[in-house]
Amino acid sequence: MTLVDTHCHLNDRRAFPDPVQVVDEALSQGVARLVVVGVDTESSERAVDLADRFDPIYAVVGWHPNSASEFNPSEMKRIEGLLGHPKVVALGEIGLDYYRDHASRED
C-alpha cells in the first residue's frame, strides 16, 4: 500500500520550522508523497519551494476562503504563474467556508 498525505501545511514556518525532520519522519513511517497546500500567495510560493527541495513533495496553490478579506486581485498573476510549475498538482483552498466566520460572504 502506498500512503500519501494529501493535505499538509509544511509551508507553515511557525508550525514546521524544520521541514527536513518532518519529511524524514513521514518517509520513515511509509508516507511516499506529501501534498503541501498553500492558503495565500506567500504560503503557495513556499509550498512550491518545498516541492523543489524534496522529491516526495507536491504543491497545491491558491487562496483559502478564510483569507478572502486580505485577497488582492493582483495576487492572481503570481498564483497563475505557480500553476505552470511541474510539481503543482492543483489549484486549491478555494471553497466557500461559510461555517467559519473569518471572512464576510461578500469577500
Side-chain angles (χ1 to χ4, degrees):
M1 173 176 20
T2 301
L3 299 176
V4 177
D5 184 338
T6 62
H7 189 122
C8 61
H9 293 281
L10 296 178
N11 48 351
D12 181 340
R13 292 177 190 209
R14 287 176 290 157
F16 302 102
D18 182 12
V20 173
Q21 178 184 0
V22 177
V23 172
D24 287 346
E25 183 177 347
L27 295 174
S28 75
Q29 296 300 311
V31 177
R33 299 280 184 264
L34 299 105
V35 180
V36 178
V37 180
V39 298
D40 57 23
T41 304
E42 182 181 329
S43 64
S44 292
E45 289 172 339
R46 176 108 169 106
V48 172
D49 289 343
L50 289 167
D52 278 337
R53 285 180 52 200
F54 299 96
D55 186 53
I57 292 182
Y58 292 82
V60 172
V61 300
W63 270 77
H64 195 283
N66 291 349
S67 302
S69 62
E70 302 162 23
F71 178 74
N72 182 322
S74 67
E75 298 292 318
M76 282 309 297
K77 288 292 179 198
R78 290 171 61 193
I79 294 293
E80 287 172 2
L82 295 171
L83 287 170
H85 189 282
K87 290 188 77 181
V88 170
V89 294
L91 173 65
E93 292 290 16
I94 56 175
L96 301 174
D97 282 354
Y98 289 146
Y99 68 96
R100 297 182 185 183
D101 197 20
H102 297 291
S104 70
R105 287 183 180 232
E106 293 78 28
D107 288 339

